[in-house]
Amino acid sequence: MPMPPMVLSTGEPAGIGPDLALMLAQSDKQWPVVVLADRAMMAQRAAQLGLSVRFQDPQTAPPQLGQGEMALHHVPLTAPCVAGTLDTDNARYVLSLLETAVAGCESGLYSAMVTGPVHKGVINDAGIPFSGHTEWLADRTHTPRVVMMLAGEAMRVALATTHLPLKDVAQAITPASLTETLTILHHDLQVKFGLPSPRILVAGLNPHAGEGGHMGREELEVIIPVLQALREQGMQLIGPLPADTLFNRPVLAQGDAVLAMYHDQGLPVLKYATFGEGINITLGLPIIRTSVDHGTALDLAGTGRADAGSLKAAITWAWTLAKQHRQASTSPQ
C-alpha cells in the first residue's frame, strides 16, 4: 500500500514560507506533498515572483505532479496579506494551518508534516501565547515531553532545553528531565533514523564540563549520575564533554548525535556547518514533523531572493523518516 503524502504548512503568510513552496513547485522532481495555504494569496505571490504554478485539488491530483504543479489544500486567510508586512489578524490563520496539518497526520491522511517559518512575535501580539512550534505541537498532541533536534549532513544536535532564558537553564536540567530527553532521543534514533545502537555525545553545561566541580556542580550532581544510570540500561552515552571541544570532527565521528544542554550551546555550530540545508525535527511526537532552520525573512518575501534549500531538505528528511518509521512499525518484533 503506498504511503500517504506529506503535508506542508506554509507558516507566516507575509514571510518567505509561501515563496519557498512555490519555488519548489518548479522542480522537475517533486515529492508527494500537499501544501496548506490560502489559494488566492498563493496565486498573487506566484504572480509577484513571476512563477507559473497550476494548483491541483489534493483529492484528484495525480500521484506524481509535474513541473509547475502544486497540490494545494485551501485554508482561508483571516485578513488580506502583503508580502513583508505582518498583520496580527492572520495569527489565527497560521495556527489553523498547523491544526489542519496535525489533524491530517493523526488521522493517517498524511505521513508527515513539514512546517514553514512562523513569526512568534506577531502571534503573541495577537494575544495568543506561543513560544514556538515545538512547544505548540507537544501541547496539541498531549505529549508530555518532546525534544528539539536540528540536523544536516554534517551532524545531528538535540537540545536538553529549548526556548529558555539563559538564567533559567541550569534549574531546568533535572535528573528527571535529562533522563526523559535522552530516552526520547535514543528511542527516535532507533525507530525514526534506523540506528539499532545509537551513540550519543553529551555536552556538559558549564565551561570545561565543570572541571571537576570548580566551574559548576551540575555535571557532578545531575549529568554524570543520569548518564551512568542510563548506561546501565544499555545506552551508549559519551560525556559529559566540554562543548568547546565536542564539535571537533574527530569527536563528532565517535557519535551519531549530540545532546547540547541549551539552545545557543549547540545550534550556532550546527547552523554554521549546515545553514541553507539544515532542518529542525521534533522528537517524541506521535507524528513525524520537520521544519526549516530559518525564520520568516520578511525582507525577502516576494522578492525571489529566498533560498529553498532548507525546505527541500526538510521535505526530503520527512519522507525518509516517515518511511523508516513505517518500516519499524510494521517489522515483526
Side-chain angles (χ1 to χ4, degrees):
M1 181 177 178
M3 279 180 49
M6 299 171 287
V7 61
L8 168 62
S9 165
T10 47
E12 168 54 51
I16 61 172
D19 303 43
L20 301 180
L22 291 163
M23 292 165 67
L24 284 187
Q26 306 304 307
S27 172
D28 56 2
K29 181 183 183 302
Q30 293 199 48
W31 300 262
V33 59
V34 173
V35 176
L36 304 181
D38 181 277
R39 185 185 181 101
M41 182 270 292
M42 292 293 280
Q44 188 278 330
R45 190 68 59 86
Q48 186 173 351
L49 295 171
L51 299 177
S52 176
V53 180
R54 297 181 300 279
F55 300 117
Q56 299 270 13
D57 184 335
Q59 295 183 338
T60 58
Q64 182 62 48
L65 294 177
Q67 186 174 359
E69 294 182 320
M70 173 186 292
L72 180 70
H73 177 97
H74 171 65
V75 178
L77 281 168
T78 313
C81 174
V82 176
T85 303
L86 294 171
D87 188 337
T88 55
D89 286 344
N90 277 322
R92 295 284 179 189
Y93 163 78
V94 173
L95 296 182
S96 70
L97 297 177
L98 295 177
E99 178 60 42
T100 303
V102 172
C105 288
E106 290 178 328
S107 70
L109 181 63
Y110 305 123
S111 62
M113 68 180 287
V114 180
T115 55
V118 299
H119 194 286
K120 300 183 187 70
V122 75
I123 297 174
N124 282 279
D125 288 344
I128 306 169
F130 186 85
S131 57
H133 275 118
T134 302
E135 296 84 357
W136 187 92
L137 287 166
D139 182 68
R140 167 59 181 77
T141 59
H142 308 291
T143 305
R145 187 173 188 85
V146 296
V147 175
M148 178 190 290
M149 170 190 278
L150 268 76
E153 290 300 321
M155 66 184 81
R156 307 179 184 105
V157 178
L159 301 177
T161 61
T162 52
H163 299 115
L164 287 179
L166 191 56
K167 66 181 179 61
D168 297 334
V169 168
Q171 186 176 357
I173 300 173
T174 65
S177 71
L178 187 56
T179 298
E180 285 182 309
T181 297
L182 282 165
T183 300
I184 291 169
L185 176 57
H186 182 268
H187 173 270
D188 278 17
L189 286 171
Q190 289 181 315
V191 174
K192 295 177 181 176
F193 288 82
L195 300 170
S197 186
R199 303 162 301 163
I200 301 173
L201 306 171
V202 181
L205 173 65
N206 297 297
H208 301 179
E211 201 160 293
H214 295 289
M215 292 190 181
R217 298 193 58 81
E218 285 81 7
E219 285 77 13
L220 295 176
E221 296 175 358
V222 178
I223 301 175
I224 291 174
V226 167
L227 299 189
Q228 289 174 338
L230 293 177
R231 287 188 191 109
E232 292 174 2
Q233 298 178 25
M235 292 190 194
Q236 293 193 66
L237 306 172
I238 305 168
L241 301 170
D244 62 343
T245 56
L246 189 165
F247 291 99
N248 289 322
R249 288 184 180 177
V251 180
L252 289 173
Q254 299 175 39
D256 298 301
V258 172
L259 180 67
M261 289 296 117
Y262 55 95
H263 188 280
D264 283 12
Q265 182 185 57
L267 298 195
V269 183
L270 181 135
K271 290 191 176 187
Y272 176 78
T274 67
F275 195 80
E277 297 181 353
I279 64 150
N280 189 339
I281 307 169
T282 306
L283 305 180
L285 291 172
I287 61 176
I288 303 290
R289 180 261 173 166
T290 68
S291 178
V292 295
D293 72 345
H294 56 72
T296 52
L298 297 169
D299 58 321
L300 298 180
T303 69
R305 302 198 315 266
D307 185 345
S310 183
L311 181 58
K312 179 179 179 180
I315 292 174
T316 303
W317 274 81
W319 190 243
T320 300
L321 293 172
K323 288 193 294 184
Q324 175 58 41
H325 186 260
R326 188 187 206 197
Q327 180 180 339
S329 62
T330 56
S331 298
Q333 301 297 316

